[in-house]
Amino acid sequence: MSTNQLLLEAIALKKCVTAVYNGVAMKLAPHVLYTKNNALFIDAITLEKHGEPPREKKLGAFHLQGLNDLQITDSHFEIDELFEPEAEKYEGAALFKISEN
């Protein structure tokens, strides 16, 4: 399965993914796939870094080229209040967003 397909499935089914990003093992809750400067990104909540919860919860932007060893998990997540689906940065750039359904 391609990276794009895996992320689309994870967003659609609200399933977490694991990946290595900049050498750091992470568990992410992806909320949106979008383009920026002709590159693909996801915005996701980081649930774990090196197997531990992060100090603070935040919505981070992850360049798809930097995501390695990407795998979908069986862990589900809920839409986080930090995600603003109508944010200006997604206008005309969002390819797929998480939905309430």
Side-chain angles (χ1 to χ4, degrees):
M1 183 180 304
S2 77
T3 298
N4 293 2
Q5 289 174 311
L6 191 144
L7 288 168
L8 291 172
E9 181 178 331
I11 293 168
L13 300 176
K14 297 180 187 126
K15 286 190 172 185
C16 298
V17 296
T18 57
V20 175
Y21 192 74
N22 292 336
V24 178
M26 298 184 160
K27 184 176 182 180
L28 305 170
H31 282 58
V32 61
L33 175 67
Y34 63 101
T35 61
K36 178 179 164 186
N37 300 326
N38 295 320
L40 290 172
F41 287 81
I42 60 164
D43 278 4
I45 301 292
T46 302
L47 302 173
E48 290 180 9
K49 280 178 136 178
H50 295 298
E52 299 289 326
R55 281 177 274 184
E56 67 179 271
K57 182 172 71 167
K58 67 178 189 172
L59 184 71
F62 298 88
H63 191 288
L64 259 59
Q65 280 192 316
L67 289 172
N68 297 299
D69 302 326
L70 190 66
Q71 304 230 343
I72 196 164
T73 72
D74 289 329
S75 301
H76 288 273
F77 65 90
E78 296 300 319
I79 298 173
D80 197 280
E81 70 275 358
L82 292 174
F83 177 60
E84 298 175 22
E86 304 307 319
E88 187 176 322
K89 76 182 212 174
Y90 304 133
E91 285 181 27
L95 302 173
F96 194 67
K97 292 182 199 176
I98 201 164
S99 71
E100 295 285 338
N101 303 333

